[in-house]
Amino acid sequence: MAGQRDTAQYIYDTLKDEILSLELKPSEEISEAELCRRFDASRTPVRTAIQRLSDIDLVEIAPYQYTRVSLIDYSKARQMIFMRIVLEERILSDFIDRADDFLIEDLEHIIRKQDILLKGSFVAEDFYKLDAAFHSTFFNTMEADEIWKMLQGSVHYTRLRMLDIVEFRDFLTIVEEHKEILSKIRSKEKDGMAKLLEAHLNGGLVRIRERSGGKYRNYFRNYREGEI
């Protein structure tokens, strides 16, 4: 029994990572038989893993018809971005008051690592992790790490961010915006920070809307005409 639970957990973790990173695309069909072969597992842990993924809205199950990766819920992702803008603006304002040379050095170090990353070959997930590290510094410093976890827990928002990073690869713009945010933190300048942060966090939505030409429309559900 413990072995099956461990196997189910491993299958769940692996598939969740692949869905969130878009290695498994929205609406891509999932075969139980194929997963059994891939993981050398019986149907019981495979079905347990798939059901758990369905419970967090990463998989859609239609009995006797299909099992497939869920579409990205555009409305939920957009609302999460709005929530993050409101929360992060307030947290960043307080962070500016507290930011000392050590905290500024932490942020500078992350940006230097991003600059180094852009000079070589890397996978998009490496950049995503550094991007998250930059912003999580504000939340962790202000003892709001549970809020950060909540924001990061949105599977639809996470996949939208990954789509932006993987497909549009506008890494330089993102890093330059990080540098602008850091510049304001360093100079204790709050004026204009809200506008800068809003543009930065909305960047993915803007790029998907303006650059995709509707190419990724079939990745989404719950969007209005013209949003994608």
Side-chain angles (χ1 to χ4, degrees), residues 65-83:
Q65 297 181 56
Y66 61 77
T67 299
R68 64 191 180 195
V69 178
S70 68
L71 298 178
I72 301 170
D73 192 309
Y74 186 89
S75 176
K76 288 182 179 179
R78 182 176 53 78
Q79 290 177 62
M80 188 59 64
I81 291 171
F82 176 78
M83 183 187 301

Side-chain angles (χ1 to χ4, degrees), residues 46-65:
V46 167
R47 287 175 177 170
T48 298
I50 289 174
Q51 184 58 57
R52 288 180 61 194
L53 291 167
S54 174
D55 292 342
I56 61 171
D57 202 16
L58 282 179
V59 165
E60 298 173 357
I61 302 173
Y64 307 108
Q65 297 181 56

